[in-house]
Amino acid sequence: MTDDDAQASGLGELSARAKAVLALERRGWAGPGAKERAIREELGLAPVRYYQILNALLDDRRALAHDPVTVNRLRRVRQARRGER
């Protein structure tokens, strides 16, 4: 598997890490810091790297096919934030 977490294996599927990022993003969070702690403990990633991977996934058609509800929700959030700038 390549180091590029948002890229697919040779079969055109999302990597296991990309799927794990989307799964973690689907969950609800009890309070501040809980999500960042889960990112570090469950995925072994720094939060900055997690959000880089997540942002790339929002533009990946495979991520949309894998989890359309989460990807579309996050695309709307991203677009709203861009509109605020």
Side-chain angles (χ1 to χ4, degrees):
M1 186 98 33
T2 65
D3 192 63
D4 189 356
D5 300 311
Q7 293 302 312
S9 65
L11 301 175
E13 296 180 8
L14 288 174
S15 70
R17 179 167 279 173
K19 290 177 182 178
V21 166
L22 290 172
L24 194 131
E25 197 60 35
R26 275 193 303 270
R27 293 169 33 190
W29 301 102
K35 183 176 181 180
E36 286 72 18
R37 191 168 37 260
I39 290 167
R40 290 181 190 280
E41 293 174 1
E42 296 176 25
L43 301 178
L45 294 171
V48 169
R49 180 67 180 134
Y50 170 86
Y51 287 110
Q52 290 170 340
I53 293 168
L54 180 60
N55 193 50
L57 285 170
L58 297 184
D59 297 322
D60 190 324
R61 61 178 171 69
R62 295 165 298 186
L64 181 62
H66 176 75
D67 191 347
V69 172
T70 301
V71 171
N72 282 324
R73 176 179 56 83
L74 294 171
R75 283 178 174 179
R76 286 189 301 272
V77 169
R78 182 174 68 177
Q79 190 60 36
R81 287 184 179 152
R82 285 181 178 167
E84 293 172 1
R85 295 180 187 170

PDB file of all heavy atoms in Angstrom, residues 9-44:
ATOM      1  N   SER A   9      -5.869   1.322  -3.464  1.00  0.00           N
ATOM      2  CA  SER A   9      -5.016   0.210  -3.842  1.00  0.00           C
ATOM      3  C   SER A   9      -5.149   0.059  -5.349  1.00  0.00           C
ATOM      4  O   SER A   9      -5.886   0.781  -5.999  1.00  0.00           O
ATOM      5  CB  SER A   9      -5.486  -1.046  -3.120  1.00  0.00           C
ATOM      6  OG  SER A   9      -6.774  -1.405  -3.566  1.00  0.00           O
ATOM      7  N   GLY A  10      -4.473  -0.884  -5.901  1.00  0.00           N
ATOM      8  CA  GLY A  10      -4.506  -1.084  -7.339  1.00  0.00           C
ATOM      9  C   GLY A  10      -5.892  -1.412  -7.873  1.00  0.00           C
ATOM     10  O   GLY A  10      -6.127  -1.352  -9.064  1.00  0.00           O
ATOM     11  N   LEU A  11      -6.818  -1.774  -7.023  1.00  0.00           N
ATOM     12  CA  LEU A  11      -8.150  -2.166  -7.460  1.00  0.00           C
ATOM     13  C   LEU A  11      -9.128  -1.002  -7.536  1.00  0.00           C
ATOM     14  O   LEU A  11     -10.292  -1.201  -7.816  1.00  0.00           O
ATOM     15  CB  LEU A  11      -8.709  -3.233  -6.503  1.00  0.00           C
ATOM     16  CG  LEU A  11      -7.874  -4.499  -6.381  1.00  0.00           C
ATOM     17  CD1 LEU A  11      -8.465  -5.426  -5.326  1.00  0.00           C
ATOM     18  CD2 LEU A  11      -7.755  -5.202  -7.715  1.00  0.00           C
ATOM     19  N   GLY A  12      -8.685   0.191  -7.268  1.00  0.00           N
ATOM     20  CA  GLY A  12      -9.563   1.345  -7.352  1.00  0.00           C
ATOM     21  C   GLY A  12     -10.440   1.531  -6.141  1.00  0.00           C
ATOM     22  O   GLY A  12     -11.461   2.185  -6.218  1.00  0.00           O
ATOM     23  N   GLU A  13     -10.065   0.939  -5.009  1.00  0.00           N
ATOM     24  CA  GLU A  13     -10.828   1.093  -3.779  1.00  0.00           C
ATOM     25  C   GLU A  13     -10.094   2.018  -2.831  1.00  0.00           C
ATOM     26  O   GLU A  13      -8.892   2.218  -2.946  1.00  0.00           O
ATOM     27  CB  GLU A  13     -11.014  -0.263  -3.103  1.00  0.00           C
ATOM     28  CG  GLU A  13     -11.827  -1.231  -3.918  1.00  0.00           C
ATOM     29  CD  GLU A  13     -11.987  -2.566  -3.218  1.00  0.00           C
ATOM     30  OE1 GLU A  13     -11.594  -2.673  -2.051  1.00  0.00           O
ATOM     31  OE2 GLU A  13     -12.510  -3.478  -3.855  1.00  0.00           O
ATOM     32  N   LEU A  14     -10.824   2.539  -1.873  1.00  0.00           N
ATOM     33  CA  LEU A  14     -10.199   3.364  -0.841  1.00  0.00           C
ATOM     34  C   LEU A  14      -9.292   2.495   0.020  1.00  0.00           C
ATOM     35  O   LEU A  14      -9.580   1.320   0.253  1.00  0.00           O
ATOM     36  CB  LEU A  14     -11.264   3.993   0.053  1.00  0.00           C
ATOM     37  CG  LEU A  14     -12.094   5.108  -0.542  1.00  0.00           C
ATOM     38  CD1 LEU A  14     -13.191   5.502   0.439  1.00  0.00           C
ATOM     39  CD2 LEU A  14     -11.242   6.295  -0.877  1.00  0.00           C
ATOM     40  N   SER A  15      -8.243   3.092   0.533  1.00  0.00           N
ATOM     41  CA  SER A  15      -7.362   2.374   1.450  1.00  0.00           C
ATOM     42  C   SER A  15      -8.088   2.134   2.767  1.00  0.00           C
ATOM     43  O   SER A  15      -9.091   2.783   3.079  1.00  0.00           O
ATOM     44  CB  SER A  15      -6.094   3.185   1.702  1.00  0.00           C
ATOM     45  OG  SER A  15      -6.395   4.340   2.468  1.00  0.00           O
ATOM     46  N   ALA A  16      -7.558   1.205   3.541  1.00  0.00           N
ATOM     47  CA  ALA A  16      -8.144   0.919   4.855  1.00  0.00           C
ATOM     48  C   ALA A  16      -8.088   2.162   5.735  1.00  0.00           C
ATOM     49  O   ALA A  16      -9.033   2.444   6.481  1.00  0.00           O
ATOM     50  CB  ALA A  16      -7.402  -0.239   5.515  1.00  0.00           C
ATOM     51  N   ARG A  17      -7.015   2.929   5.658  1.00  0.00           N
ATOM     52  CA  ARG A  17      -6.901   4.143   6.465  1.00  0.00           C
ATOM     53  C   ARG A  17      -7.941   5.171   6.038  1.00  0.00           C
ATOM     54  O   ARG A  17      -8.558   5.823   6.883  1.00  0.00           O
ATOM     55  CB  ARG A  17      -5.505   4.738   6.364  1.00  0.00           C
ATOM     56  CG  ARG A  17      -5.417   6.027   7.189  1.00  0.00           C
ATOM     57  CD  ARG A  17      -4.035   6.498   7.392  1.00  0.00           C
ATOM     58  NE  ARG A  17      -3.460   5.730   8.477  1.00  0.00           N
ATOM     59  CZ  ARG A  17      -2.195   5.796   8.844  1.00  0.00           C
ATOM     60  NH1 ARG A  17      -1.363   6.569   8.205  1.00  0.00           N
ATOM     61  NH2 ARG A  17      -1.748   5.075   9.841  1.00  0.00           N
ATOM     62  N   ALA A  18      -8.169   5.318   4.739  1.00  0.00           N
ATOM     63  CA  ALA A  18      -9.183   6.264   4.260  1.00  0.00           C
ATOM     64  C   ALA A  18     -10.567   5.870   4.770  1.00  0.00           C
ATOM     65  O   ALA A  18     -11.341   6.719   5.222  1.00  0.00           O
ATOM     66  CB  ALA A  18      -9.161   6.335   2.733  1.00  0.00           C
ATOM     67  N   LYS A  19     -10.863   4.579   4.744  1.00  0.00           N
ATOM     68  CA  LYS A  19     -12.144   4.112   5.264  1.00  0.00           C
ATOM     69  C   LYS A  19     -12.249   4.355   6.766  1.00  0.00           C
ATOM     70  O   LYS A  19     -13.317   4.724   7.269  1.00  0.00           O
ATOM     71  CB  LYS A  19     -12.327   2.628   4.957  1.00  0.00           C
ATOM     72  CG  LYS A  19     -12.548   2.360   3.484  1.00  0.00           C
ATOM     73  CD  LYS A  19     -12.655   0.868   3.212  1.00  0.00           C
ATOM     74  CE  LYS A  19     -12.836   0.586   1.733  1.00  0.00           C
ATOM     75  NZ  LYS A  19     -12.898  -0.870   1.460  1.00  0.00           N
ATOM     76  N   ALA A  20     -11.149   4.183   7.475  1.00  0.00           N
ATOM     77  CA  ALA A  20     -11.149   4.421   8.926  1.00  0.00           C
ATOM     78  C   ALA A  20     -11.364   5.895   9.238  1.00  0.00           C
ATOM     79  O   ALA A  20     -12.047   6.236  10.205  1.00  0.00           O
ATOM     80  CB  ALA A  20      -9.835   3.926   9.533  1.00  0.00           C
ATOM     81  N   VAL A  21     -10.804   6.783   8.419  1.00  0.00           N
ATOM     82  CA  VAL A  21     -11.001   8.225   8.610  1.00  0.00           C
ATOM     83  C   VAL A  21     -12.479   8.566   8.434  1.00  0.00           C
ATOM     84  O   VAL A  21     -13.056   9.281   9.253  1.00  0.00           O
ATOM     85  CB  VAL A  21     -10.113   9.035   7.634  1.00  0.00           C
ATOM     86  CG1 VAL A  21     -10.546  10.493   7.565  1.00  0.00           C
ATOM     87  CG2 VAL A  21      -8.640   8.931   8.030  1.00  0.00           C
ATOM     88  N   LEU A  22     -13.100   8.032   7.404  1.00  0.00           N
ATOM     89  CA  LEU A  22     -14.526   8.300   7.188  1.00  0.00           C
ATOM     90  C   LEU A  22     -15.373   7.718   8.316  1.00  0.00           C
ATOM     91  O   LEU A  22     -16.336   8.352   8.763  1.00  0.00           O
ATOM     92  CB  LEU A  22     -14.972   7.738   5.836  1.00  0.00           C
ATOM     93  CG  LEU A  22     -14.435   8.472   4.610  1.00  0.00           C
ATOM     94  CD1 LEU A  22     -14.771   7.707   3.341  1.00  0.00           C
ATOM     95  CD2 LEU A  22     -14.959   9.896   4.544  1.00  0.00           C
ATOM     96  N   ALA A  23     -15.017   6.535   8.784  1.00  0.00           N
ATOM     97  CA  ALA A  23     -15.766   5.919   9.882  1.00  0.00           C
ATOM     98  C   ALA A  23     -15.648   6.750  11.151  1.00  0.00           C
ATOM     99  O   ALA A  23     -16.647   6.948  11.866  1.00  0.00           O
ATOM    100  CB  ALA A  23     -15.259   4.503  10.128  1.00  0.00           C
ATOM    101  N   LEU A  24     -14.473   7.253  11.428  1.00  0.00           N
ATOM    102  CA  LEU A  24     -14.279   8.077  12.621  1.00  0.00           C
ATOM    103  C   LEU A  24     -15.067   9.382  12.493  1.00  0.00           C
ATOM    104  O   LEU A  24     -15.654   9.853  13.458  1.00  0.00           O
ATOM    105  CB  LEU A  24     -12.790   8.363  12.831  1.00  0.00           C
ATOM    106  CG  LEU A  24     -12.453   8.915  14.202  1.00  0.00           C
ATOM    107  CD1 LEU A  24     -11.285   8.143  14.794  1.00  0.00           C
ATOM    108  CD2 LEU A  24     -12.088  10.372  14.103  1.00  0.00           C
ATOM    109  N   GLU A  25     -15.128   9.912  11.299  1.00  0.00           N
ATOM    110  CA  GLU A  25     -15.841  11.175  11.074  1.00  0.00           C
ATOM    111  C   GLU A  25     -17.346  11.010  11.236  1.00  0.00           C
ATOM    112  O   GLU A  25     -18.043  11.964  11.568  1.00  0.00           O
ATOM    113  CB  GLU A  25     -15.496  11.709   9.679  1.00  0.00           C
ATOM    114  CG  GLU A  25     -15.826  13.141   9.480  1.00  0.00           C
ATOM    115  CD  GLU A  25     -15.121  14.094  10.437  1.00  0.00           C
ATOM    116  OE1 GLU A  25     -13.952  13.857  10.814  1.00  0.00           O
ATOM    117  OE2 GLU A  25     -15.747  15.109  10.799  1.00  0.00           O
ATOM    118  N   ARG A  26     -17.859   9.814  11.031  1.00  0.00           N
ATOM    119  CA  ARG A  26     -19.304   9.558  11.186  1.00  0.00           C
ATOM    120  C   ARG A  26     -19.751   9.597  12.634  1.00  0.00           C
ATOM    121  O   ARG A  26     -20.924   9.813  12.918  1.00  0.00           O
ATOM    122  CB  ARG A  26     -19.655   8.169  10.629  1.00  0.00           C
ATOM    123  CG  ARG A  26     -19.903   8.122   9.172  1.00  0.00           C
ATOM    124  CD  ARG A  26     -20.535   6.801   8.762  1.00  0.00           C
ATOM    125  NE  ARG A  26     -19.750   5.629   9.128  1.00  0.00           N
ATOM    126  CZ  ARG A  26     -18.828   5.071   8.367  1.00  0.00           C
ATOM    127  NH1 ARG A  26     -18.558   5.583   7.190  1.00  0.00           N
ATOM    128  NH2 ARG A  26     -18.177   4.002   8.773  1.00  0.00           N
ATOM    129  N   ARG A  27     -18.851   9.339  13.545  1.00  0.00           N
ATOM    130  CA  ARG A  27     -19.210   9.228  14.961  1.00  0.00           C
ATOM    131  C   ARG A  27     -19.506  10.587  15.593  1.00  0.00           C
ATOM    132  O   ARG A  27     -19.021  11.608  15.153  1.00  0.00           O
ATOM    133  CB  ARG A  27     -18.061   8.572  15.729  1.00  0.00           C
ATOM    134  CG  ARG A  27     -17.893   7.143  15.308  1.00  0.00           C
ATOM    135  CD  ARG A  27     -16.653   6.458  15.779  1.00  0.00           C
ATOM    136  NE  ARG A  27     -16.130   6.838  17.069  1.00  0.00           N
ATOM    137  CZ  ARG A  27     -14.939   6.446  17.501  1.00  0.00           C
ATOM    138  NH1 ARG A  27     -14.174   5.681  16.763  1.00  0.00           N
ATOM    139  NH2 ARG A  27     -14.512   6.812  18.685  1.00  0.00           N
ATOM    140  N   GLY A  28     -20.289  10.555  16.654  1.00  0.00           N
ATOM    141  CA  GLY A  28     -20.549  11.751  17.439  1.00  0.00           C
ATOM    142  C   GLY A  28     -19.498  11.876  18.530  1.00  0.00           C
ATOM    143  O   GLY A  28     -18.887  10.881  18.934  1.00  0.00           O
ATOM    144  N   TRP A  29     -19.291  13.067  19.031  1.00  0.00           N
ATOM    145  CA  TRP A  29     -18.227  13.298  20.017  1.00  0.00           C
ATOM    146  C   TRP A  29     -18.785  13.965  21.252  1.00  0.00           C
ATOM    147  O   TRP A  29     -19.512  14.954  21.170  1.00  0.00           O
ATOM    148  CB  TRP A  29     -17.107  14.122  19.391  1.00  0.00           C
ATOM    149  CG  TRP A  29     -16.570  13.381  18.212  1.00  0.00           C
ATOM    150  CD1 TRP A  29     -16.825  13.614  16.907  1.00  0.00           C
ATOM    151  CD2 TRP A  29     -15.761  12.210  18.249  1.00  0.00           C
ATOM    152  NE1 TRP A  29     -16.221  12.675  16.124  1.00  0.00           N
ATOM    153  CE2 TRP A  29     -15.555  11.798  16.923  1.00  0.00           C
ATOM    154  CE3 TRP A  29     -15.198  11.466  19.282  1.00  0.00           C
ATOM    155  CZ2 TRP A  29     -14.798  10.672  16.602  1.00  0.00           C
ATOM    156  CZ3 TRP A  29     -14.444  10.352  18.955  1.00  0.00           C
ATOM    157  CH2 TRP A  29     -14.249   9.968  17.627  1.00  0.00           C
ATOM    158  N   ALA A  30     -18.421  13.411  22.398  1.00  0.00           N
ATOM    159  CA  ALA A  30     -18.957  13.845  23.683  1.00  0.00           C
ATOM    160  C   ALA A  30     -18.519  15.250  24.075  1.00  0.00           C
ATOM    161  O   ALA A  30     -19.300  16.013  24.622  1.00  0.00           O
ATOM    162  CB  ALA A  30     -18.546  12.863  24.776  1.00  0.00           C
ATOM    163  N   GLY A  31     -17.296  15.596  23.833  1.00  0.00           N
ATOM    164  CA  GLY A  31     -16.827  16.903  24.265  1.00  0.00           C
ATOM    165  C   GLY A  31     -15.541  17.292  23.581  1.00  0.00           C
ATOM    166  O   GLY A  31     -15.009  16.547  22.760  1.00  0.00           O
ATOM    167  N   PRO A  32     -15.047  18.460  23.920  1.00  0.00           N
ATOM    168  CA  PRO A  32     -13.824  18.950  23.289  1.00  0.00           C
ATOM    169  C   PRO A  32     -12.648  18.015  23.590  1.00  0.00           C
ATOM    170  O   PRO A  32     -12.487  17.530  24.701  1.00  0.00           O
ATOM    171  CB  PRO A  32     -13.601  20.321  23.926  1.00  0.00           C
ATOM    172  CG  PRO A  32     -14.717  20.551  24.862  1.00  0.00           C
ATOM    173  CD  PRO A  32     -15.584  19.345  24.911  1.00  0.00           C
ATOM    174  N   GLY A  33     -11.880  17.755  22.584  1.00  0.00           N
ATOM    175  CA  GLY A  33     -10.694  16.934  22.756  1.00  0.00           C
ATOM    176  C   GLY A  33     -10.922  15.451  22.544  1.00  0.00           C
ATOM    177  O   GLY A  33      -9.974  14.702  22.316  1.00  0.00           O
ATOM    178  N   ALA A  34     -12.173  15.001  22.615  1.00  0.00           N
ATOM    179  CA  ALA A  34     -12.455  13.569  22.465  1.00  0.00           C
ATOM    180  C   ALA A  34     -12.114  13.088  21.055  1.00  0.00           C
ATOM    181  O   ALA A  34     -11.534  12.016  20.877  1.00  0.00           O
ATOM    182  CB  ALA A  34     -13.915  13.278  22.788  1.00  0.00           C
ATOM    183  N   LYS A  35     -12.470  13.874  20.067  1.00  0.00           N
ATOM    184  CA  LYS A  35     -12.205  13.484  18.686  1.00  0.00           C
ATOM    185  C   LYS A  35     -10.702  13.452  18.418  1.00  0.00           C
ATOM    186  O   LYS A  35     -10.193  12.501  17.816  1.00  0.00           O
ATOM    187  CB  LYS A  35     -12.898  14.442  17.722  1.00  0.00           C
ATOM    188  CG  LYS A  35     -12.730  14.074  16.271  1.00  0.00           C
ATOM    189  CD  LYS A  35     -13.530  15.034  15.404  1.00  0.00           C
ATOM    190  CE  LYS A  35     -13.439  14.712  13.952  1.00  0.00           C
ATOM    191  NZ  LYS A  35     -14.226  15.644  13.146  1.00  0.00           N
ATOM    192  N   GLU A  36      -9.994  14.482  18.861  1.00  0.00           N
ATOM    193  CA  GLU A  36      -8.548  14.534  18.643  1.00  0.00           C
ATOM    194  C   GLU A  36      -7.851  13.369  19.338  1.00  0.00           C
ATOM    195  O   GLU A  36      -6.908  12.793  18.809  1.00  0.00           O
ATOM    196  CB  GLU A  36      -7.979  15.872  19.114  1.00  0.00           C
ATOM    197  CG  GLU A  36      -8.290  17.046  18.197  1.00  0.00           C
ATOM    198  CD  GLU A  36      -9.746  17.500  18.223  1.00  0.00           C
ATOM    199  OE1 GLU A  36     -10.477  17.148  19.185  1.00  0.00           O
ATOM    200  OE2 GLU A  36     -10.162  18.183  17.276  1.00  0.00           O
ATOM    201  N   ARG A  37      -8.324  13.013  20.512  1.00  0.00           N
ATOM    202  CA  ARG A  37      -7.757  11.880  21.242  1.00  0.00           C
ATOM    203  C   ARG A  37      -7.991  10.584  20.460  1.00  0.00           C
ATOM    204  O   ARG A  37      -7.103   9.748  20.333  1.00  0.00           O
ATOM    205  CB  ARG A  37      -8.365  11.790  22.640  1.00  0.00           C
ATOM    206  CG  ARG A  37      -7.683  10.827  23.561  1.00  0.00           C
ATOM    207  CD  ARG A  37      -8.108  10.944  25.022  1.00  0.00           C
ATOM    208  NE  ARG A  37      -9.524  11.244  25.271  1.00  0.00           N
ATOM    209  CZ  ARG A  37     -10.008  12.452  25.575  1.00  0.00           C
ATOM    210  NH1 ARG A  37      -9.200  13.500  25.687  1.00  0.00           N
ATOM    211  NH2 ARG A  37     -11.295  12.636  25.792  1.00  0.00           N
ATOM    212  N   ALA A  38      -9.199  10.423  19.916  1.00  0.00           N
ATOM    213  CA  ALA A  38      -9.517   9.231  19.125  1.00  0.00           C
ATOM    214  C   ALA A  38      -8.664   9.171  17.855  1.00  0.00           C
ATOM    215  O   ALA A  38      -8.218   8.091  17.456  1.00  0.00           O
ATOM    216  CB  ALA A  38     -11.001   9.215  18.772  1.00  0.00           C
ATOM    217  N   ILE A  39      -8.428  10.317  17.245  1.00  0.00           N
ATOM    218  CA  ILE A  39      -7.592  10.370  16.044  1.00  0.00           C
ATOM    219  C   ILE A  39      -6.201   9.834  16.366  1.00  0.00           C
ATOM    220  O   ILE A  39      -5.648   9.003  15.640  1.00  0.00           O
ATOM    221  CB  ILE A  39      -7.515  11.814  15.494  1.00  0.00           C
ATOM    222  CG1 ILE A  39      -8.868  12.226  14.907  1.00  0.00           C
ATOM    223  CG2 ILE A  39      -6.409  11.939  14.455  1.00  0.00           C
ATOM    224  CD1 ILE A  39      -8.997  13.706  14.623  1.00  0.00           C
ATOM    225  N   ARG A  40      -5.645  10.292  17.457  1.00  0.00           N
ATOM    226  CA  ARG A  40      -4.298   9.852  17.852  1.00  0.00           C
ATOM    227  C   ARG A  40      -4.265   8.385  18.263  1.00  0.00           C
ATOM    228  O   ARG A  40      -3.397   7.626  17.842  1.00  0.00           O
ATOM    229  CB  ARG A  40      -3.773  10.709  18.996  1.00  0.00           C
ATOM    230  CG  ARG A  40      -3.445  12.122  18.602  1.00  0.00           C
ATOM    231  CD  ARG A  40      -2.910  12.903  19.804  1.00  0.00           C
ATOM    232  NE  ARG A  40      -2.809  14.310  19.541  1.00  0.00           N
ATOM    233  CZ  ARG A  40      -1.819  14.874  18.868  1.00  0.00           C
ATOM    234  NH1 ARG A  40      -0.854  14.149  18.388  1.00  0.00           N
ATOM    235  NH2 ARG A  40      -1.794  16.185  18.674  1.00  0.00           N
ATOM    236  N   GLU A  41      -5.221   7.969  19.096  1.00  0.00           N
ATOM    237  CA  GLU A  41      -5.204   6.622  19.655  1.00  0.00           C
ATOM    238  C   GLU A  41      -5.640   5.550  18.658  1.00  0.00           C
ATOM    239  O   GLU A  41      -5.035   4.487  18.588  1.00  0.00           O
ATOM    240  CB  GLU A  41      -6.082   6.559  20.900  1.00  0.00           C
ATOM    241  CG  GLU A  41      -5.538   7.367  22.057  1.00  0.00           C
ATOM    242  CD  GLU A  41      -6.476   7.433  23.246  1.00  0.00           C
ATOM    243  OE1 GLU A  41      -7.576   6.826  23.194  1.00  0.00           O
ATOM    244  OE2 GLU A  41      -6.109   8.108  24.227  1.00  0.00           O
ATOM    245  N   GLU A  42      -6.688   5.824  17.896  1.00  0.00           N
ATOM    246  CA  GLU A  42      -7.242   4.802  17.010  1.00  0.00           C
ATOM    247  C   GLU A  42      -6.558   4.751  15.650  1.00  0.00           C
ATOM    248  O   GLU A  42      -6.429   3.683  15.064  1.00  0.00           O
ATOM    249  CB  GLU A  42      -8.739   5.026  16.824  1.00  0.00           C
ATOM    250  CG  GLU A  42      -9.521   4.857  18.112  1.00  0.00           C
ATOM    251  CD  GLU A  42     -10.986   5.168  17.950  1.00  0.00           C
ATOM    252  OE1 GLU A  42     -11.511   5.064  16.815  1.00  0.00           O
ATOM    253  OE2 GLU A  42     -11.618   5.518  18.966  1.00  0.00           O
ATOM    254  N   LEU A  43      -6.155   5.912  15.152  1.00  0.00           N
ATOM    255  CA  LEU A  43      -5.562   5.948  13.820  1.00  0.00           C
ATOM    256  C   LEU A  43      -4.052   6.165  13.847  1.00  0.00           C
ATOM    257  O   LEU A  43      -3.390   5.980  12.829  1.00  0.00           O
ATOM    258  CB  LEU A  43      -6.219   7.049  12.974  1.00  0.00           C
ATOM    259  CG  LEU A  43      -7.728   6.920  12.762  1.00  0.00           C
ATOM    260  CD1 LEU A  43      -8.247   8.099  11.962  1.00  0.00           C
ATOM    261  CD2 LEU A  43      -8.072   5.609  12.092  1.00  0.00           C
ATOM    262  N   GLY A  44      -3.534   6.598  14.987  1.00  0.00           N
ATOM    263  CA  GLY A  44      -2.099   6.850  15.071  1.00  0.00           C
ATOM    264  C   GLY A  44      -1.660   8.034  14.238  1.00  0.00           C
ATOM    265  O   GLY A  44      -0.535   8.080  13.748  1.00  0.00           O
TER     266      GLY A  44
END
